[in-house]
Amino acid sequence: MFEFINNDDRGQVGIGTLIVFIAMVLVAAIAAGVLINTAGFLQSQAEATGQESTDLVSERIEVTSEVGIVGNATTGNLSEIRVGVTGAPGADQIDLSETTIQAVGPNGQENLVFFNASGGNVSDLGDGDFAVQQDGSFVDGDNAVLNEDSQYTIVLNPESSPFGTGSGANAFGESDTSSLEIVSPSSATTAVELNSPDLYKEDGEAVRL
């Protein structure tokens, strides 16, 4: 009527249970490690994405003015295009020498990059160039660093592509339009529209674009 389990059978059952228990603990530990690593990766990715999103908002260049200097009122062309810029509120330092400008004008499209206009002449700026001034003087790349407390002027040559095809009537001038996208080193973009007046009055005057 009664079945008896001898000591050998009990030992085998106990060892089997222990092996299963140890296997379950190992599987749980591995799963926990995977979950912890995944959570850490997701957290790091979220922090990086959040920082990039913050930079796209805060590390942005703000435009304060858009002015053209009339070179010749008779031919109706400009000698300079000046775009005043400052850093957005809360912005850290923004290196204008690492900034790019995607420009579309009457003469096509160009990606403009910083040019060290050491000679001090806007005419030195060729196709695809822009320079930076502060207080009326050109600055080199080491000093073209923008923040929310400083102001600089981005200078463009109306005779160079994509604004014009040469001096005189071939330069950017009366009734011409152009669009700029100023892209900071953190890839924050500021859009600018340049709309020249239909008529200039005199040489050297400043006109709002």
Side-chain angles (χ1 to χ4, degrees):
M1 293 179 61
F2 299 98
E3 294 183 1
F4 295 94
I5 301 175
N6 59 35
N7 291 335
D8 291 340
D9 292 336
R10 289 180 178 177
Q12 291 175 0
V13 172
I15 291 173
T17 302
L18 181 61
I19 291 173
V20 172
F21 176 74
I22 292 173
M24 291 176 63
V25 171
L26 290 174
V27 170
I30 293 172
V34 171
L35 288 174
I36 291 172
N37 288 337
T38 301
F41 171 76
L42 292 176
Q43 181 180 1
S44 299
Q45 192 174 46
E47 290 176 352
T49 302
Q51 184 61 49
E52 290 176 1
S53 299
T54 300
D55 289 345
L56 286 174
V57 175
S58 63
E59 304 306 307
R60 189 172 58 85
I61 297 172
E62 287 196 345
V63 172
T64 58
S65 63
E66 303 149 35
V67 174
I69 305 300
V70 176
N72 190 318
T74 302
T75 58
N77 69 285
L78 299 177
S79 61
E80 297 181 27
I81 298 173
R82 300 177 180 176
V83 180
V85 294
T86 187
D92 292 328
Q93 293 184 337
I94 300 173
D95 190 348
L96 292 177
S97 68
E98 296 296 328
T99 295
T100 58
I101 300 176
Q102 299 170 357
V104 177
N107 192 37
Q109 185 271 341
E110 289 277 358
N111 288 324
L112 312 182
V113 296
F114 176 82
F115 176 79
N116 185 9
S118 57
N121 297 313
V122 176
S123 58
D124 292 337
L125 302 179
D127 297 344
D129 292 337
F130 75 87
V132 175
Q133 286 183 342
Q134 187 176 44
D135 299 327
S137 299
F138 287 99
V139 297
D140 58 24
D142 293 335
N143 294 306
V145 180
L146 185 67
N147 57 49
E148 62 176 324
D149 297 321
S150 61
Q151 292 189 348
Y152 286 86
T153 300
I154 292 175
V155 182
L156 308 170
N157 185 357
E159 299 178 0
S160 298
S161 179
F163 308 106
T165 58
S167 60
N170 293 320
F172 188 91
E174 293 173 342
S175 303
D176 284 337
T177 63
S178 178
S179 63
L180 311 176
E181 287 192 352
I182 305 173
V183 185
S184 73
S186 65
S187 298
T189 302
T190 302
V192 182
E193 294 292 331
L194 303 178
N195 298 290
S196 185
D198 295 334
L199 184 64
Y200 302 152
K201 295 180 180 179
E202 59 184 37
D203 296 355
E205 72 171 323
V207 295
R208 181 173 296 181
L209 301 178

